[in-house]
Amino acid sequence: MPLHVPPAPAPALRSVLTALGSPTAVREARTPSLRTAQGTATPELPLPVHVLDRITSEGVSATRLAGWRFLIRCGDRAVAAAETRLTPDGWAFSHFFEGPYIASTERALRQAESVAQAYQPRLLSLPGLYMLTLWLHGDCSSDGTTGHPAATDLLVPLAPAPPGIAAHRPHRVAELLPMLTHRVTPAPLLGQPV
């Protein structure tokens, strides 16, 4: 079943295209593969990036939209990614980056295309665990900017995943989030011994 990739906001895409067209932005990027890429660099597969700041004991958590991530393709492979963020003036280019999450995201998206049910792909970051997942959201009509992980949505941990969590193994939200509550330790309150 094909994935229903939500369209990125036009200003977010324009900001990435402007950065890709700027020799200064590309030269100063800490992405050697983007600097040395031959051919045209094209932003593809815009994915909204949601952040899960806290996990409750019930596993139900609030998410917030943090930005949009575009895979940057040169030829037949993604060589980097570009991230945008929402500012008071609208969507703006944030940075280019590369690393293991690029190939891992592509792999997880290919896996997701073979699933029988239709999903909307998103990224879900869990900063407390240093974990990034491909979030396969069941509401394909959503614009990608709102919503919370539904119990039947799938989360696919991207590599590198935290110890004890298998990368690229899909989990229902109802199964994975409660398990993760035991891994996240609350931050100590100010003035309390650590």
Side-chain angles (χ1 to χ4, degrees):
M1 177 80 47
L3 296 175
H4 296 273
V5 179
L13 176 57
R14 277 194 305 272
S15 73
V16 170
L17 289 170
T18 299
L20 281 171
S22 164
T24 304
V26 173
R27 188 172 50 252
E28 292 179 3
R30 298 182 196 275
T31 54
S33 60
L34 184 58
R35 286 195 309 269
T36 60
Q38 300 295 317
T40 304
T42 309
E44 295 182 354
L45 289 170
L47 296 173
V49 180
H50 293 261
V51 176
L52 192 81
D53 288 318
R54 60 185 171 78
I55 301 174
T56 66
S57 58
E58 297 82 30
V60 178
S61 305
T63 64
R64 63 180 166 81
L65 179 67
W68 284 80
R69 182 172 296 172
F70 298 78
L71 293 180
I72 306 299
R73 186 169 300 283
C74 285
D76 63 344
R77 67 183 190 96
V79 297
E83 195 140 319
T84 63
R85 60 185 171 86
L86 190 57
T87 69
D89 295 325
W91 288 100
F93 171 75
S94 176
H95 61 281
F96 291 115
F97 65 94
E98 63 183 65
Y101 285 132
I102 308 300
S104 187
T105 300
E106 281 191 306
R107 178 180 169 187
L109 287 166
R110 280 192 307 273
Q111 274 182 276
E113 287 175 341
S114 66
V115 175
Q117 182 179 339
Y119 285 105
Q120 183 185 81
R122 304 169 173 202
L123 293 173
L124 183 64
S125 172
L126 294 94
L129 293 171
Y130 301 100
M131 182 177 175
L132 184 65
T133 68
L134 177 65
W135 170 15
L136 299 173
H137 189 51
D139 181 5
C140 295
S141 64
S142 169
D143 65 1
T145 62
T146 59
H148 300 291
T152 57
D153 287 354
L154 295 177
L155 296 176
V156 182
L158 300 181
I165 297 175
H168 297 286
R169 182 177 175 269
H171 300 270
R172 294 249 176 245
V173 167
E175 299 163 358
L176 184 62
L177 288 187
M179 182 177 72
L180 296 178
T181 61
H182 303 296
R183 291 176 161 253
V184 177
T185 55
L189 297 174
L190 293 176
Q192 288 189 342
V194 178

